[in-house]
Amino acid sequence: MKEGNRTMKRSTFGATMKRVGAGVAAVATLVGMAACGSSSNGDDTSSKSSGPTEIEVWSWSTTGQQQADAFNKAQSDVKVKFVLQASNTAQQQNFRNAFEAKGKLPDLVQGFAPLTTNVSNGWAEDITDSIKPILGIFNEGAKANAQLNGKYYGIPVAPAGQYSISDADVLAKYGVEAPKTWDDLLALGKKANADGVKIFNLAGEDPSVLEQLAQEAGGNWFKIKGDKWQVNFLDDGTLKAADIIQQMIDGKMVSNETWTDTGSLYKFFDSGKLAFMTTQYWSVPNFKTNMPNTSGKWEISAYPTIDGTFKVPGVVSQVDFVPKGTDKAHQDAVMKWEKYINSDEGLEAGRDKASNTIPLPSGLSGDLTKYVKANIPDGFYSNPDAAVDIIGTATKDVMGGFNLGPNYDAWFPELQDQWGKAVNGQITVKDALKNTQDFVAKDLKSKGINYTIG
């Protein structure tokens, strides 16, 4: 994709947004209007050359280069240049820097923000026509997550359903079963605290557990109400979730190891001093590789319930997208890559050598059992026979509908800052939510986006 092809300007999009308002349907429609009259492929020559179409893919997948190498050997129409990113947040900053500088952008980006934000910021291309040939491989829920107003602005993906793992030695020490409810976990915390055993790790930069608990409890921070966004970080469900977390913090039941130092983080996880964590399928292969002392001792169970009703939270905060201005030839090449990495051959090419697992394609249609089995590391779970059913159920029954709004890239860093203060006892979790909501209101107002609070 040539530098000159990125024709969508943030100023144009912002002016359009101010004129019309902020319904999701309007957002999806207006992105196309803002780009009207410009050509995204008029000066591109790659599709006219005799060689393969070259595309650049950004991702933090540690096995992505393996898949790119295999893909490039398997066919001659498309050549993938895989650019490994240090992390989700590093990729977001790199993309924003390139976008703001009107620099060269990749042809496909692993998601770092929700679809509405990608569209609102003018980051994502309308790929409705290009994606048609491969839509059949995805399930309906995944397809719904990738479109606005009937148009596709992302690659279909299903959220990663959450489940739980508990240190079986810790459970045995205190004579308890794996927590079935959050009250069970709090009760374990009161028993274990005297021995310095923590029941949860709350990293100061990672408020994902708050999002997931809020979703499970029925919270929803952003809704569409007419032509306005209805913003509510303090609804009943979210406050119920905040209270559970606050009890953990006040009872000194949690650790605060950070994901920015994964060596120390995994060392703590592997120390026998952490009783429990919620997780998802893509984290466990790394646990298997980096936690040798407790490998084989982690008991898998369903995500704890709040009110006795089984629910599987899985906030969709990241949707892979094709950047605005990517020409049709490159879009078509991206779809060939997507079809490959979601095939049996492509998934096998992505097998992680350290854990001997393959990626789990959670957005595909059909039975995913064989993929679930291939994603489970040997010798990690203490009850491996239960793992296939629990992970399969988490993948199949994961919740949707937790909207992250049109300005996620602006407010999420603020939530991280407020969350860090809360887990360190400087403010309450409720204060953190209120402060973030205030920030959201000011940001939406500054951008001319219509909203109401509550």
Side-chain angles (χ1 to χ4, degrees), residues 83-111:
V83 181
L84 179 65
Q85 303 292 304
S87 65
N88 180 341
T89 53
Q91 178 173 262
Q92 176 174 338
Q93 189 60 54
N94 290 340
F95 181 83
R96 288 178 65 91
N97 289 345
F99 186 88
E100 296 293 344
K102 299 180 175 61
K104 182 180 183 300
L105 296 176
D107 300 282
L108 179 67
V109 182
Q110 184 174 353

Side-chain angles (χ1 to χ4, degrees), residues 188-377:
L188 174 58
K190 293 174 183 176
K191 292 182 179 181
N193 203 28
D195 298 322
V197 174
K198 304 302 181 182
I199 59 168
F200 213 95
N201 185 71
L202 299 179
E205 77 283 358
D206 181 16
S208 60
V209 65
L210 175 59
E211 294 179 326
Q212 292 151 7
L213 260 174
Q215 183 186 33
E216 182 190 30
N220 203 349
W221 297 348
F222 292 88
K223 296 179 182 178
I224 298 297
K225 187 175 182 179
D227 65 347
K228 297 180 176 66
W229 285 98
Q230 185 176 17
V231 180
N232 194 349
F233 281 64
L234 298 168
D235 57 29
D236 290 344
T238 301
L239 292 181
K240 186 182 294 186
D243 179 63
I244 292 171
I245 295 171
Q246 194 65 55
Q247 289 183 62
M248 294 184 193
I249 295 170
D250 291 346
K252 303 188 184 305
M253 302 176 188
V254 297
S255 53
N256 301 123
E257 299 291 334
T258 174
W259 286 98
T260 60
D261 185 353
T262 54
S264 293
L265 180 78
Y266 288 136
K267 185 177 180 179
F268 174 71
F269 286 177
D270 202 31
S271 68
K273 292 293 186 179
L274 180 68
F276 174 92
M277 62 177 118
T278 56
T279 190
Q280 57 285 309
Y281 68 84
W282 50 263
S283 292
V284 174
N286 284 330
F287 293 166
K288 167 63 179 177
T289 302
N290 293 286
M291 293 155 54
N293 296 327
T294 55
S295 185
K297 299 180 180 180
W298 290 95
E299 181 176 335
I300 185 172
S301 59
Y303 196 84
T305 65
I306 289 180
D307 57 7
T309 303
F310 173 70
K311 296 178 182 178
V312 182
V315 178
V316 182
S317 60
Q318 301 163 353
V319 181
D320 294 4
F321 66 96
V322 173
K324 187 72 182 177
T326 303
D327 69 26
K328 184 63 164 54
H330 285 77
Q331 292 180 43
D332 291 343
V334 165
M335 301 312 152
K336 292 179 180 179
W337 162 251
E338 285 291 335
K339 183 177 181 179
Y340 176 81
I341 63 174
N342 283 290
S343 69
D344 287 353
E345 181 183 358
L347 290 164
E348 181 59 41
R351 184 178 290 275
D352 179 71
K353 294 179 175 61
S355 64
N356 195 33
T357 61
I358 68 168
L360 176 57
S362 59
L364 294 189
S365 60
D367 186 3
L368 300 181
T369 302
K370 67 177 181 179
Y371 302 120
V372 171
K373 289 179 177 178
N375 182 256
I376 297 172

Side-chain angles (χ1 to χ4, degrees), residues 116-132:
T116 46
T117 293
N118 291 342
V119 175
S120 295
N121 285 345
W123 292 343
E125 181 62 72
D126 177 352
I127 56 173
T128 305
D129 291 336
S130 298
I131 203 171
K132 285 179 181 177

Side-chain angles (χ1 to χ4, degrees), residues 42 47 71 146 182 189 191 299 312 422 430:
S47 61
F71 175 71
W182 289 101
K191 292 182 179 181
E299 181 176 335
V312 182
K430 184 177 179 180

Side-chain angles (χ1 to χ4, degrees), residues 134-151:
I134 68 168
L135 278 179
I137 69 176
F138 300 107
N139 63 43
E140 292 305 312
K143 286 188 282 190
N145 288 330
Q147 56 182 301
L148 291 173
N149 200 32
K151 294 182 179 295

